[in-house]
PDB file of all heavy atoms in Angstrom:
ATOM      1  N   PRO A 195     -72.888 -72.997 -48.112  1.00  0.00           N
ATOM      2  CA  PRO A 195     -72.633 -74.142 -49.002  1.00  0.00           C
ATOM      3  C   PRO A 195     -71.409 -73.903 -49.896  1.00  0.00           C
ATOM      4  O   PRO A 195     -70.578 -74.797 -50.037  1.00  0.00           O
ATOM      5  CB  PRO A 195     -73.908 -74.230 -49.842  1.00  0.00           C
ATOM      6  CG  PRO A 195     -74.970 -73.529 -49.042  1.00  0.00           C
ATOM      7  CD  PRO A 195     -74.267 -72.499 -48.210  1.00  0.00           C
ATOM      8  N   LEU A 196     -71.288 -72.693 -50.455  1.00  0.00           N
ATOM      9  CA  LEU A 196     -70.144 -72.353 -51.304  1.00  0.00           C
ATOM     10  C   LEU A 196     -69.322 -71.284 -50.609  1.00  0.00           C
ATOM     11  O   LEU A 196     -69.865 -70.514 -49.820  1.00  0.00           O
ATOM     12  CB  LEU A 196     -70.611 -71.795 -52.650  1.00  0.00           C
ATOM     13  CG  LEU A 196     -71.607 -72.621 -53.464  1.00  0.00           C
ATOM     14  CD1 LEU A 196     -72.161 -71.796 -54.626  1.00  0.00           C
ATOM     15  CD2 LEU A 196     -70.944 -73.900 -53.971  1.00  0.00           C
ATOM     16  N   ALA A 197     -68.038 -71.182 -50.920  1.00  0.00           N
ATOM     17  CA  ALA A 197     -67.214 -70.123 -50.344  1.00  0.00           C
ATOM     18  C   ALA A 197     -67.850 -68.768 -50.683  1.00  0.00           C
ATOM     19  O   ALA A 197     -68.337 -68.591 -51.801  1.00  0.00           O
ATOM     20  CB  ALA A 197     -65.802 -70.194 -50.901  1.00  0.00           C
ATOM     21  N   PRO A 198     -67.883 -67.803 -49.715  1.00  0.00           N
ATOM     22  CA  PRO A 198     -68.515 -66.512 -50.000  1.00  0.00           C
ATOM     23  C   PRO A 198     -67.847 -65.816 -51.181  1.00  0.00           C
ATOM     24  O   PRO A 198     -66.633 -65.886 -51.335  1.00  0.00           O
ATOM     25  CB  PRO A 198     -68.316 -65.715 -48.708  1.00  0.00           C
ATOM     26  CG  PRO A 198     -67.342 -66.472 -47.887  1.00  0.00           C
ATOM     27  CD  PRO A 198     -67.339 -67.882 -48.358  1.00  0.00           C
ATOM     28  N   ASP A 199     -68.668 -65.166 -52.003  1.00  0.00           N
ATOM     29  CA  ASP A 199     -68.171 -64.599 -53.240  1.00  0.00           C
ATOM     30  C   ASP A 199     -68.736 -63.191 -53.431  1.00  0.00           C
ATOM     31  O   ASP A 199     -69.951 -62.995 -53.505  1.00  0.00           O
ATOM     32  CB  ASP A 199     -68.588 -65.519 -54.396  1.00  0.00           C
ATOM     33  CG  ASP A 199     -68.154 -64.980 -55.740  1.00  0.00           C
ATOM     34  OD1 ASP A 199     -68.919 -64.197 -56.342  1.00  0.00           O
ATOM     35  OD2 ASP A 199     -67.036 -65.319 -56.175  1.00  0.00           O
ATOM     36  N   ALA A 200     -67.813 -62.210 -53.497  1.00  0.00           N
ATOM     37  CA  ALA A 200     -68.217 -60.803 -53.565  1.00  0.00           C
ATOM     38  C   ALA A 200     -68.929 -60.465 -54.874  1.00  0.00           C
ATOM     39  O   ALA A 200     -69.803 -59.586 -54.876  1.00  0.00           O
ATOM     40  CB  ALA A 200     -67.011 -59.900 -53.358  1.00  0.00           C
ATOM     41  N   SER A 201     -68.614 -61.138 -55.968  1.00  0.00           N
ATOM     42  CA  SER A 201     -69.293 -60.767 -57.219  1.00  0.00           C
ATOM     43  C   SER A 201     -70.732 -61.282 -57.225  1.00  0.00           C
ATOM     44  O   SER A 201     -71.642 -60.583 -57.689  1.00  0.00           O
ATOM     45  CB  SER A 201     -68.509 -61.204 -58.461  1.00  0.00           C
ATOM     46  OG  SER A 201     -68.167 -62.544 -58.370  1.00  0.00           O
ATOM     47  N   ARG A 202     -70.977 -62.462 -56.668  1.00  0.00           N
ATOM     48  CA  ARG A 202     -72.382 -62.870 -56.474  1.00  0.00           C
ATOM     49  C   ARG A 202     -73.055 -61.912 -55.491  1.00  0.00           C
ATOM     50  O   ARG A 202     -74.208 -61.530 -55.655  1.00  0.00           O
ATOM     51  CB  ARG A 202     -72.460 -64.294 -55.907  1.00  0.00           C
ATOM     52  CG  ARG A 202     -72.353 -65.416 -56.936  1.00  0.00           C
ATOM     53  CD  ARG A 202     -72.860 -66.744 -56.346  1.00  0.00           C
ATOM     54  NE  ARG A 202     -72.283 -67.042 -55.041  1.00  0.00           N
ATOM     55  CZ  ARG A 202     -71.232 -67.856 -54.854  1.00  0.00           C
ATOM     56  NH1 ARG A 202     -70.672 -68.482 -55.867  1.00  0.00           N
ATOM     57  NH2 ARG A 202     -70.753 -68.060 -53.639  1.00  0.00           N
ATOM     58  N   GLY A 203     -72.290 -61.478 -54.467  1.00  0.00           N
ATOM     59  CA  GLY A 203     -72.823 -60.554 -53.461  1.00  0.00           C
ATOM     60  C   GLY A 203     -73.241 -59.224 -54.054  1.00  0.00           C
ATOM     61  O   GLY A 203     -74.212 -58.614 -53.612  1.00  0.00           O
ATOM     62  N   ALA A 204     -72.506 -58.782 -55.082  1.00  0.00           N
ATOM     63  CA  ALA A 204     -72.851 -57.515 -55.738  1.00  0.00           C
ATOM     64  C   ALA A 204     -74.252 -57.596 -56.331  1.00  0.00           C
ATOM     65  O   ALA A 204     -75.013 -56.625 -56.280  1.00  0.00           O
ATOM     66  CB  ALA A 204     -71.823 -57.193 -56.822  1.00  0.00           C
ATOM     67  N   GLN A 205     -74.592 -58.756 -56.868  1.00  0.00           N
ATOM     68  CA  GLN A 205     -75.941 -58.954 -57.421  1.00  0.00           C
ATOM     69  C   GLN A 205     -76.996 -58.849 -56.328  1.00  0.00           C
ATOM     70  O   GLN A 205     -78.031 -58.207 -56.496  1.00  0.00           O
ATOM     71  CB  GLN A 205     -76.043 -60.339 -58.084  1.00  0.00           C
ATOM     72  CG  GLN A 205     -75.292 -60.441 -59.391  1.00  0.00           C
ATOM     73  CD  GLN A 205     -75.692 -59.320 -60.347  1.00  0.00           C
ATOM     74  OE1 GLN A 205     -76.864 -59.105 -60.597  1.00  0.00           O
ATOM     75  NE2 GLN A 205     -74.697 -58.582 -60.840  1.00  0.00           N
ATOM     76  N   VAL A 206     -76.722 -59.500 -55.197  1.00  0.00           N
ATOM     77  CA  VAL A 206     -77.656 -59.418 -54.067  1.00  0.00           C
ATOM     78  C   VAL A 206     -77.797 -57.965 -53.648  1.00  0.00           C
ATOM     79  O   VAL A 206     -78.906 -57.468 -53.423  1.00  0.00           O
ATOM     80  CB  VAL A 206     -77.163 -60.269 -52.865  1.00  0.00           C
ATOM     81  CG1 VAL A 206     -78.130 -60.155 -51.692  1.00  0.00           C
ATOM     82  CG2 VAL A 206     -76.945 -61.721 -53.261  1.00  0.00           C
ATOM     83  N   PHE A 207     -76.667 -57.273 -53.584  1.00  0.00           N
ATOM     84  CA  PHE A 207     -76.707 -55.876 -53.149  1.00  0.00           C
ATOM     85  C   PHE A 207     -77.616 -55.050 -54.049  1.00  0.00           C
ATOM     86  O   PHE A 207     -78.480 -54.310 -53.569  1.00  0.00           O
ATOM     87  CB  PHE A 207     -75.290 -55.261 -53.107  1.00  0.00           C
ATOM     88  CG  PHE A 207     -75.332 -53.839 -52.645  1.00  0.00           C
ATOM     89  CD1 PHE A 207     -75.436 -53.544 -51.292  1.00  0.00           C
ATOM     90  CD2 PHE A 207     -75.352 -52.788 -53.549  1.00  0.00           C
ATOM     91  CE1 PHE A 207     -75.553 -52.238 -50.853  1.00  0.00           C
ATOM     92  CE2 PHE A 207     -75.469 -51.472 -53.123  1.00  0.00           C
ATOM     93  CZ  PHE A 207     -75.573 -51.192 -51.771  1.00  0.00           C
ATOM     94  N   VAL A 208     -77.416 -55.199 -55.361  1.00  0.00           N
ATOM     95  CA  VAL A 208     -78.194 -54.384 -56.307  1.00  0.00           C
ATOM     96  C   VAL A 208     -79.676 -54.718 -56.219  1.00  0.00           C
ATOM     97  O   VAL A 208     -80.524 -53.817 -56.193  1.00  0.00           O
ATOM     98  CB  VAL A 208     -77.663 -54.574 -57.750  1.00  0.00           C
ATOM     99  CG1 VAL A 208     -78.596 -53.917 -58.754  1.00  0.00           C
ATOM    100  CG2 VAL A 208     -76.269 -53.981 -57.865  1.00  0.00           C
ATOM    101  N   THR A 209     -79.998 -55.993 -56.143  1.00  0.00           N
ATOM    102  CA  THR A 209     -81.419 -56.358 -56.172  1.00  0.00           C
ATOM    103  C   THR A 209     -82.113 -56.159 -54.823  1.00  0.00           C
ATOM    104  O   THR A 209     -83.297 -55.840 -54.788  1.00  0.00           O
ATOM    105  CB  THR A 209     -81.627 -57.820 -56.634  1.00  0.00           C
ATOM    106  OG1 THR A 209     -80.744 -58.649 -55.899  1.00  0.00           O
ATOM    107  CG2 THR A 209     -81.379 -57.985 -58.114  1.00  0.00           C
ATOM    108  N   VAL A 210     -81.388 -56.335 -53.715  1.00  0.00           N
ATOM    109  CA  VAL A 210     -82.060 -56.278 -52.412  1.00  0.00           C
ATOM    110  C   VAL A 210     -81.727 -55.018 -51.607  1.00  0.00           C
ATOM    111  O   VAL A 210     -82.626 -54.366 -51.075  1.00  0.00           O
ATOM    112  CB  VAL A 210     -81.721 -57.525 -51.555  1.00  0.00           C
ATOM    113  CG1 VAL A 210     -82.497 -57.506 -50.251  1.00  0.00           C
ATOM    114  CG2 VAL A 210     -81.982 -58.806 -52.327  1.00  0.00           C
ATOM    115  N   CYS A 211     -80.475 -54.653 -51.520  1.00  0.00           N
ATOM    116  CA  CYS A 211     -80.061 -53.636 -50.545  1.00  0.00           C
ATOM    117  C   CYS A 211     -80.101 -52.212 -51.088  1.00  0.00           C
ATOM    118  O   CYS A 211     -80.352 -51.258 -50.340  1.00  0.00           O
ATOM    119  CB  CYS A 211     -78.645 -53.914 -50.040  1.00  0.00           C
ATOM    120  SG  CYS A 211     -78.241 -55.649 -49.825  1.00  0.00           S
ATOM    121  N   ALA A 212     -79.805 -52.071 -52.391  1.00  0.00           N
ATOM    122  CA  ALA A 212     -79.608 -50.729 -52.963  1.00  0.00           C
ATOM    123  C   ALA A 212     -80.853 -49.853 -52.855  1.00  0.00           C
ATOM    124  O   ALA A 212     -80.738 -48.632 -52.776  1.00  0.00           O
ATOM    125  CB  ALA A 212     -79.156 -50.841 -54.415  1.00  0.00           C
ATOM    126  N   ALA A 213     -82.021 -50.465 -52.824  1.00  0.00           N
ATOM    127  CA  ALA A 213     -83.265 -49.690 -52.722  1.00  0.00           C
ATOM    128  C   ALA A 213     -83.209 -48.760 -51.519  1.00  0.00           C
ATOM    129  O   ALA A 213     -83.711 -47.642 -51.570  1.00  0.00           O
ATOM    130  CB  ALA A 213     -84.458 -50.629 -52.595  1.00  0.00           C
ATOM    131  N   CYS A 214     -82.612 -49.200 -50.441  1.00  0.00           N
ATOM    132  CA  CYS A 214     -82.506 -48.345 -49.250  1.00  0.00           C
ATOM    133  C   CYS A 214     -81.103 -47.742 -49.101  1.00  0.00           C
ATOM    134  O   CYS A 214     -80.958 -46.545 -48.940  1.00  0.00           O
ATOM    135  CB  CYS A 214     -82.849 -49.139 -48.001  1.00  0.00           C
ATOM    136  SG  CYS A 214     -84.562 -49.692 -47.973  1.00  0.00           S
ATOM    137  N   HIS A 215     -80.093 -48.598 -49.128  1.00  0.00           N
ATOM    138  CA  HIS A 215     -78.732 -48.105 -48.867  1.00  0.00           C
ATOM    139  C   HIS A 215     -78.121 -47.405 -50.083  1.00  0.00           C
ATOM    140  O   HIS A 215     -76.989 -46.939 -50.002  1.00  0.00           O
ATOM    141  CB  HIS A 215     -77.849 -49.256 -48.378  1.00  0.00           C
ATOM    142  CG  HIS A 215     -78.274 -49.802 -47.040  1.00  0.00           C
ATOM    143  ND1 HIS A 215     -78.045 -49.143 -45.856  1.00  0.00           N
ATOM    144  CD2 HIS A 215     -78.956 -50.927 -46.706  1.00  0.00           C
ATOM    145  CE1 HIS A 215     -78.545 -49.841 -44.840  1.00  0.00           C
ATOM    146  NE2 HIS A 215     -79.113 -50.932 -45.332  1.00  0.00           N
ATOM    147  N   GLN A 216     -78.850 -47.335 -51.179  1.00  0.00           N
ATOM    148  CA  GLN A 216     -78.464 -46.655 -52.435  1.00  0.00           C
ATOM    149  C   GLN A 216     -77.430 -47.473 -53.212  1.00  0.00           C
ATOM    150  O   GLN A 216     -76.651 -48.233 -52.640  1.00  0.00           O
ATOM    151  CB  GLN A 216     -77.943 -45.228 -52.169  1.00  0.00           C
ATOM    152  CG  GLN A 216     -78.884 -44.395 -51.291  1.00  0.00           C
ATOM    153  CD  GLN A 216     -80.228 -44.105 -51.945  1.00  0.00           C
ATOM    154  OE1 GLN A 216     -80.327 -43.377 -52.914  1.00  0.00           O
ATOM    155  NE2 GLN A 216     -81.279 -44.711 -51.407  1.00  0.00           N
ATOM    156  N   GLU A 217     -77.460 -47.278 -54.525  1.00  0.00           N
ATOM    157  CA  GLU A 217     -76.582 -48.024 -55.448  1.00  0.00           C
ATOM    158  C   GLU A 217     -75.113 -47.888 -55.036  1.00  0.00           C
ATOM    159  O   GLU A 217     -74.350 -48.833 -55.133  1.00  0.00           O
ATOM    160  CB  GLU A 217     -76.733 -47.477 -56.878  1.00  0.00           C
ATOM    161  CG  GLU A 217     -78.106 -47.682 -57.492  1.00  0.00           C
ATOM    162  CD  GLU A 217     -78.253 -49.009 -58.212  1.00  0.00           C
ATOM    163  OE1 GLU A 217     -77.240 -49.504 -58.757  1.00  0.00           O
ATOM    164  OE2 GLU A 217     -79.374 -49.545 -58.217  1.00  0.00           O
ATOM    165  N   ASN A 218     -74.730 -46.678 -54.589  1.00  0.00           N
ATOM    166  CA  ASN A 218     -73.324 -46.456 -54.226  1.00  0.00           C
ATOM    167  C   ASN A 218     -73.015 -46.870 -52.789  1.00  0.00           C
ATOM    168  O   ASN A 218     -71.895 -46.719 -52.332  1.00  0.00           O
ATOM    169  CB  ASN A 218     -72.936 -44.986 -54.454  1.00  0.00           C
ATOM    170  CG  ASN A 218     -73.764 -44.035 -53.591  1.00  0.00           C
ATOM    171  OD1 ASN A 218     -74.482 -44.466 -52.683  1.00  0.00           O
ATOM    172  ND2 ASN A 218     -73.655 -42.737 -53.855  1.00  0.00           N
TER     173      ASN A 218
END
Side-chain angles (χ1 to χ4, degrees):
L196 307 169
D199 178 272
S201 51
R202 277 197 311 262
Q205 288 307 308
V206 179
F207 181 80
V208 171
T209 48
V210 184
C211 323
C214 295
H215 294 285
Q216 309 295 292
E217 295 272 329
N218 61 11

